[in-house]
Amino acid sequence: MGATISSCWGAMPSTAELFPPTPGVYTSILCCFQYFPLMTVAQWILSWHPAGKTSSQSIFNIPGRIAWSAMEIVGPINLIYNMVTPSPYAPSFTDLPMSNILLATLYCTHYLNRAIISPFFSAPSMSPIHVIIMSSAMLFNWFNSACLAGWLRGYTVPTIPSFYTASSGTPSPRSAVVDLLPTVGVVLFAIGMAGNIYSETTLFRLRREEAEKRATKKADNETPAGGSHNKFHKVYVIPPARGVFRYILYPHYVFEWLEWIGFALAGTAVAPFSALPASASASSLAIAPPLRLAPWLVPVAWAADKIAVPLPLPAVVFVVNAVTNMLPHARWGRKWYVGKFGEKDVAGRGAVLPGCAWM
C-alpha cells in the first residue's frame, strides 16, 4: 500500500508544472474538469448543503463572509497569475489579442462582485459555511480558472473526435451573422450579470425589510437565533411573485447561466496559439496533448465546426459545469421554500423553470 501511494504521489505534477500549468498538465486539468457533471449526481440525491439558509451548527463552520470571499477570490487570482506569469509555452500577456484580454476582464469583473462587493457590501448577513463546502468551491474555481487561463493564454488543445475548426484553429469562411457572435456574447454577459446582481440585491433588500419589521416587534431586544447579535442573521423570506420572481424562485441562477453562455459566445473570438502573430510565438510545446471530449461536449464541438468558429472549449465546459452544479441546489432550495413557507406561498413557481414544481 505504501509503495502504491508513493507511486501515485510521484506521478503528481510538481508545483512548477501547475503554476502555471504546462501544456501536458493543462490537458489533464481540462480532462478532469470536463467530467465534473458526474460528481453532481450526489447533489441530486443528498440535500446536505451546509451553507446559506440550509447551514447548520458545526465546529467546522467558517464565518459566512470570509468563507464566501475566500472561495470566490481563488478564480480571479489564479487566472491573473497564470496569464501574466512568464512561460516558455505561451506568449507574454502584452502579446495577447484584445479579445483574449477582454474575456479575462469579464471573468474578473464577475468575481470582483462575487468575492468582494456581494459578501461585504451587499448582503445584510451571511450564514456560516462548512469547511467542506468552502474547500470544494475553492477547488472548483481553481480548476475553472486554470482551464480558462490556458485557453486565453493561447494553448491549443486538439480534440478527439477531431473537428477541423476545433482542432486546427483555422476556420473556413463564415457568414457575417456568425461574426456577430462575440458581440452578442458580450451583450448577453452584461445582461446576465446585471440581472444576477439585481435579483440578489432584491433578495437582500427583502431580508433587510423583514428583519426591520421583526426588530420593531421585539420590545425586549432579544438576541436572534444562533446567538448572533446581527438582526439579519437567519432572516429569510420568500420573494413575492412579481418582477424577475414572478415565475421562478431562482432568477439569479438563470441570469448567471445567461452570463456564462454570453461569455462562451464571446469566446469564439479568442485566438488560439496557432493564430497569434509570429512575434508572439513561444514554443511548439504550446500545442497541448489531445483531449478526448466527454460525450456531452461532442455535439458542441460538431456545431462549432459546422458554423466555422473556433471551439471555446473551456468556456463551454464552464457553462455545463455551472448549470449542472446549480440545478440541484435550486431544486433543493425550492423544497426548502415549500417546507418553510408552504406550497401556497411558493405560488406554483418553479425553481428555474416556470410552472415546474419539480424544477
Side-chain angles (χ1 to χ4, degrees):
M1 175 64 73
T4 300
I5 295 175
S6 177
S7 176
C8 291
W9 183 261
M12 294 288 288
S14 65
T15 302
E17 294 174 308
L18 277 173
F19 302 99
T22 62
V25 171
Y26 177 74
T27 296
S28 299
I29 292 172
L30 186 54
C31 182
C32 290
F33 196 52
Q34 71 172 344
Y35 284 102
F36 173 81
L38 298 180
M39 300 177 61
T40 65
V41 172
Q43 295 175 258
W44 289 97
I45 300 171
L46 304 174
S47 62
W48 186 77
H49 187 74
K53 55 181 174 284
T54 55
S55 66
S56 57
Q57 293 289 332
S58 172
I59 61 172
F60 299 106
N61 280 351
I62 308 294
R65 297 186 197 274
I66 295 174
W68 188 268
S69 180
M71 65 193 200
E72 297 291 321
I73 203 67
V74 167
I77 289 177
N78 189 53
L79 182 124
I80 292 171
Y81 175 82
N82 285 350
M83 290 196 67
V84 303
T85 301
S87 169
Y89 308 107
S92 67
F93 180 78
T94 55
D95 284 327
L96 294 177
M98 284 304 300
S99 57
N100 298 41
I101 296 174
L102 173 61
L103 267 290
T105 302
L106 294 179
Y107 175 89
C108 291
T109 300
H110 169 88
Y111 279 98
L112 171 66
N113 173 68
R114 300 291 290 170
I116 306 298
I117 298 174
S118 183
F120 295 112
F121 297 98
S122 295
S125 71
M126 298 194 82
S127 297
I129 297 176
H130 198 282
V131 68
I132 291 179
I133 299 298
M134 184 187 76
S135 302
S136 299
M138 293 175 75
L139 188 62
F140 178 96
N141 285 326
W142 180 83
F143 266 94
N144 185 45
S145 56
C147 292
L148 293 174
W151 167 56
L152 296 175
R153 191 75 186 268
Y155 282 7
T156 296
V157 181
T159 60
I160 304 173
S162 177
F163 293 94
Y164 175 70
T165 300
S167 60
S168 71
T170 309
S172 54
R174 55 191 189 183
S175 69
V177 174
V178 171
D179 286 333
L180 290 175
L181 284 179
T183 302
V184 172
V186 172
V187 172
L188 288 180
F189 181 93
I191 294 173
M193 185 170 181
N196 176 263
I197 293 173
Y198 174 78
S199 302
E200 285 200 331
T201 52
T202 298
L203 288 173
F204 295 154
R205 175 179 57 79
L206 292 171
R207 289 183 58 196
R208 286 191 175 90
E209 291 173 353
E210 179 64 21
E212 295 293 348
K213 290 179 183 178
R214 295 184 187 184
T216 58
K217 294 179 181 179
K218 289 186 177 181
D220 55 357
N221 294 318
E222 66 179 79
T223 303
S228 170
H229 293 284
N230 185 342
K231 64 183 177 182
F232 305 110
H233 181 72
K234 285 294 185 181
V235 175
Y236 295 103
V237 297
I238 186 165
R242 60 174 181 263
V244 294
F245 295 94
R246 180 177 296 276
Y247 302 109
I248 57 177
L249 293 167
Y250 287 83
H252 44 307
Y253 281 18
V254 176
F255 277 118
E256 184 167 343
W257 297 340
L258 178 64
E259 194 177 348
W260 296 125
I261 290 172
F263 184 84
L265 291 177
T268 59
V270 169
F273 180 85
S274 58
L276 294 179
S279 60
S281 296
S283 166
S284 60
L285 291 178
I287 306 298
L291 169 72
R292 181 170 293 278
L293 293 173
W296 48 86
L297 296 176
V298 173
V300 182
W302 175 85
D305 179 63
K306 287 303 179 183
I307 63 175
V309 295
L311 174 66
L313 181 59
V316 172
V317 170
F318 185 17
V319 172
V320 173
N321 290 359
V323 173
T324 54
N325 179 44
M326 296 165 73
L327 265 178
H329 291 321
R331 177 175 178 268
W332 286 115
R334 187 188 186 280
K335 292 176 71 69
W336 183 91
Y337 273 125
V338 172
K340 182 76 172 178
F341 301 101
E343 184 67 49
K344 181 179 179 181
D345 287 336
V346 172
R349 288 173 285 176
V352 294
L353 293 177
C356 180
W358 188 79
M359 183 51 66

